[in-house]
């Protein structure tokens, strides 16, 4: 850890670290949704897929480790045992890592994205 106090880490830094980690770990179909002013839950949501349960769990684990080592942020994580849908909560950014079939079933993008963007999806 670099020892950066949590209060000095911005949501933009958290988001950038998450997106870089997802890219490094070959996450697929990465979607970023800006939720500023839409919910008190978080400012940004990131949704992505892994090809298998093992890859989903590995992607999530690497995101959590990157946030911990690069920014000193401890994240809450749910669903890693099954690897179908893993949720990572950093406070400012929530990350959903899905197996493709599970992602298609829940269609979170359609729930949170503006109507114009979901019409083409």
């Amino acid at each position: 850890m670099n020892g950066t106090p949590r209060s000095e880490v911005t949501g933009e830094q958290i988001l950038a670290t998450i997106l870089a980690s997802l890219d490094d770990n070959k996450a697929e179909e990465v979607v970023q949704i800006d939720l500023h002013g839409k919910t008190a839950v978080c400012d940004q949501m990131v949704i992505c897929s892994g090809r298998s349960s093992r890859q989903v769990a590995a992607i999530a684990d690497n995101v959590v480790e990157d946030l911990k080592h690069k920014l000193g942020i401890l994240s809450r994580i749910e669903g890693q045992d099954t690897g179908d849908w893993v949720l990572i909560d950093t406070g400012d950014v929530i990350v959903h890592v899905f197996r493709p079939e599970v992602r298609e079933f829940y269609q979170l993008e359609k729930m949170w994205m503006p109507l114009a963007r979901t019409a083409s999806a």
Side-chain angles (χ1 to χ4, degrees), residues 9 17 19-20 39-40 54 63 69 77 81 88-89 98 111 116:
V9 177
T17 301
L19 293 174
T39 180
R54 174 175 261 165
V63 168
H69 293 330
I77 188 166
D81 294 341
I88 303 164
D89 183 355
F98 287 102
M111 183 185 315

Side-chain angles (χ1 to χ4, degrees):
M1 271 191 285
N2 66 9
T4 305
R6 173 69 167 112
S7 61
E8 293 180 18
V9 177
T10 66
E12 289 78 22
Q13 289 172 306
I14 295 169
L15 181 61
T17 301
I18 289 167
L19 293 174
S21 182
L22 293 175
D23 186 52
D24 291 346
N25 290 286
K26 299 184 179 15
E28 298 178 349
E29 298 182 44
V30 177
V31 175
Q32 174 189 341
I33 304 170
D34 183 0
L35 296 176
H36 284 96
K38 295 179 184 167
T39 180
V41 174
C42 64
D43 293 333
Q44 298 282 338
M45 182 180 295
V46 177
I47 302 170
C48 67
S49 299
R51 290 183 298 276
S52 66
S53 296
R54 174 175 261 165
Q55 186 186 22
V56 166
I59 289 169
D61 187 51
N62 286 322
V63 168
V64 169
E65 288 300 311
D66 285 347
L67 288 167
K68 181 179 175 183
H69 293 330
K70 293 177 181 176
L71 300 178
I73 293 182
L74 300 177
S75 306
R76 290 179 295 280
I77 188 166
E78 295 288 333
Q80 194 169 19
D81 294 341
T82 60
D84 289 332
W85 174 3
V86 180
L87 182 137
I88 303 164
D89 183 355
T90 71
D92 293 334
V93 182
I94 292 179
V95 182
H96 298 274
V97 186
F98 287 102
R99 275 190 317 103
E101 303 83 20
V102 178
R103 182 176 181 173
E104 178 62 30
F105 179 80
Y106 287 102
Q107 298 185 6
L108 288 185
E109 291 97 328
K110 290 186 179 183
M111 183 185 315
W112 289 102
M113 289 176 92
L115 187 56
R117 285 183 66 186
T118 59
S120 63

